[in-house]
Amino acid sequence: MPSFDFQVDKNDLSTHRLIHPLPASLSAGQVRLSIERFALTANNITYGVAGDMIGYWQFFPAENNWGRIPVWGVATVAESNCDDIEAGTRFYGYYPMSSELVVEPARINERGFVDASKHREALPPTYNQYAVLSDANGYTDGKDNHQMLYRPLFTTAFVLDDFFMDNAFFGAESIMLSSASSKTSFGFAFMLKQSGKVKVIGLTSKGNIGFVESLGLYDEVVTYDDIEDLSTDTTTAFVDMAGNREVLGRIHHHFEDKLVYSCGVGITHWDSREGADPSSLPGAKPAMFFAPSQIQKRHKDWGAATFQDKLTSAWNAFLERVDQWVNIRENTCPESLAAVFEEVRNGASPDEGIVLVNED
Ligand SMILES: NC(=O)c1ccc[n+]([C@@H]2O[C@H](COP(=O)([O-])OP(=O)(O)OC[C@H]3O[C@@H](n4cnc5c(N)ncnc54)[C@H](OP(=O)(O)O)[C@@H]3O)[C@@H](O)[C@H]2O)c1
């Protein structure tokens, strides 16, 4: 495969370039991972939009104003200068949209390693981990695409569900999710439906309402245009995957004190960030959801192994259903990359999950 690297202008994600760098030379202890494939969803666009705020640009630095958006993918060890990492081993983790990544493995065990490269030291540990694709790590053979596409999003959905359960839904009788067509939202709706403790309302755009209804996971589905038609008879919580300030304002003004909880999770509507200051809105004060805090709490409450068992069991149930809803589409990299990136940036069809496969 010819080497390539896809980079975006950090201030304007519509400007991007494909470059063909020479393979980096390996120092002692380093490993060259040849990237096989990776998934691309709105979540990755959010990494780019929030790159400065959350530090996403620091994972894979680039020169000047160029940035490398992280993606979840699978890679094989092509060359190893590290005694404990064998060539040919496959790892799941965080990669740039590139042909290769050079890492410096540390804390190596049979489950995987952590990249100890200097520029990643200050970044959240979860994102520096590379996991062997093995049974012990909960991976199913032949499910690489599902792993990359859904696992990071479903983990957030699982933790959101647990967070609401743990807090008795903040007293809400209904829970409302924006960007109901997104994989993170419908993963959360999947979990909520199983416990059946609250009514689940999905908010989506006109073009995606058919898809959201067809999932059968939401008790009620409405478009953003019809928010004001929603009943305010019951107490409601809002989980915001869209980050659309205009929608947020309308929800708070419509529900007022009946809105007992409001939290931001995503910004799929990255170009609709203008609107009233969230802290000035009526109803519950909008909060930011931070999955690692709830994970840490559950590690304390239950132990890490029990948390992992519960997540794996929910994940397996989700895996059994998800192909009924979304078709995984593979495109070849690097030639399709720029077009597919634009497709996802502008809002790809929710009934497709996109995986980019690097040419041999
Ligand atoms: N905080 C966390 O820990 C965490 C973890 C996981 C995900 N997230 C966030 O959750 C969000 C969903 O991610 P995902 O990967 O699940 O999304 P996805 O499946 O790719 O979602 C696609 C949906 O997002 C909306 N959308 C996407 N691009 C749009 C655009 N340009 N204009 C308008 N709407 C657009 C559309 O939904 P509608 O028409 O239904 O609005 C679309 O169907 C992301 O913002 C992601 O960063 C956060």
Side-chain angles (χ1 to χ4, degrees), residues 40-47 56 127 149 152-154 156-157 178-186 203-208 211-212 224 240-242 264-272 288-292 343-350:
L40 197 61
T41 72
N43 187 35
N44 306 101
I45 305 302
T46 302
Y47 291 158
Y56 290 115
Y127 297 113
L149 192 55
L153 309 174
F154 184 75
T156 300
S178 61
S179 275
S181 64
S182 69
K183 293 161 194 68
T184 310
S185 283
F186 76 68
L203 295 181
T204 189
S205 43
K206 270 201 191 101
N208 290 334
F211 171 76
V212 178
Y224 299 114
D240 192 5
M241 220 60 74
V265 180
I267 39 175
T268 56
H269 296 196
W270 51 268
D271 53 354
S272 306
M288 279 310 291
F289 175 70
F290 190 57
E343 185 184 347
V344 175
R345 197 179 68 83
N346 290 307
S349 181

Side-chain angles (χ1 to χ4, degrees), residues 7 10 23 29 35 38 68 74 102 105 107 136 150 154 185 187 197 200 207 236 249 259 266 289 292 310 337 343:
Q7 304 185 345
K10 290 190 215 172
I35 299 167
F38 55 88
R68 303 165 80 199
V74 170
V102 171
R107 292 169 39 203
Y150 299 116
F154 184 75
S185 283
K197 294 220 186 302
V200 187
T236 300
L259 194 72
F289 175 70
K310 285 177 190 275
L337 187 45
E343 185 184 347

Side-chain angles (χ1 to χ4, degrees), residues 39-259:
L40 197 61
T41 72
N43 187 35
N44 306 101
I45 305 302
T46 302
Y47 291 158
V49 172
D52 280 328
M53 239 169 1
I54 313 195
Y56 290 115
W57 299 126
Q58 290 162 37
F59 283 97
F60 312 114
E63 61 188 10
N64 303 325
N65 217 36
W66 295 104
R68 303 165 80 199
I69 293 181
V71 286
W72 293 95
V74 170
T76 308
V77 176
E79 194 183 347
S80 178
N81 273 355
C82 171
D83 290 344
D84 299 318
I85 302 282
E86 269 180 44
T89 315
R90 299 175 75 232
F91 289 96
Y92 164 75
Y94 227 31
Y95 294 101
M97 292 187 249
S98 301
S99 45
E100 67 165 50
L101 174 69
V102 171
V103 291
E104 212 170 298
R107 292 169 39 203
I108 305 166
N109 60 33
E110 67 287 351
R111 311 276 295 256
F113 67 86
V114 167
D115 182 11
S117 297
K118 193 91 192 131
H119 64 272
R120 291 177 74 159
E121 252 173 15
L123 297 165
T126 325
Y127 297 113
N128 288 336
Q129 273 163 12
Y130 290 84
V132 179
L133 286 160
S134 65
D135 280 357
N137 276 336
Y139 300 127
T140 313
D141 252 2
K143 291 283 182 192
D144 290 359
N145 284 350
H146 294 75
Q147 177 75 28
M148 300 178 303
L149 192 55
Y150 299 116
R151 183 78 184 216
L153 309 174
F154 184 75
T155 301
T156 300
F158 172 84
V159 177
L160 266 169
D161 178 65
D162 177 57
F163 172 72
F164 273 91
M165 289 274 231
D166 199 20
N167 288 285
F169 294 89
F170 299 92
E173 296 154 277
S174 305
I175 189 160
M176 198 165 40
L177 318 184
S178 61
S179 275
S181 64
S182 69
K183 293 161 194 68
T184 310
S185 283
F186 76 68
F188 183 25
F190 170 80
M191 293 301 297
L192 289 166
K193 181 149 183 92
Q194 284 184 343
S195 56
K197 294 220 186 302
V198 285
K199 177 178 173 183
V200 187
I201 302 167
L203 295 181
T204 189
S205 43
K206 270 201 191 101
N208 290 334
I209 195 159
F211 171 76
V212 178
E213 283 173 344
S214 75
L215 295 169
L217 297 172
Y218 296 93
D219 298 304
E220 186 176 354
V221 182
V222 293
T223 66
Y224 299 114
D225 294 342
D226 295 331
I227 287 168
E228 283 76 12
D229 294 343
L230 284 165
S231 162
T232 53
D233 290 346
T234 54
T235 49
T236 300
F238 179 48
V239 178
D240 192 5
M241 220 60 74
N244 181 323
R245 285 280 165 85
E246 193 243 343
V247 166
L248 181 72
R250 282 171 51 213
I251 285 171
H252 277 255
H253 283 287
H254 180 60
F255 285 94
E256 297 190 313
D257 290 346
K258 285 291 175 78
L259 194 72

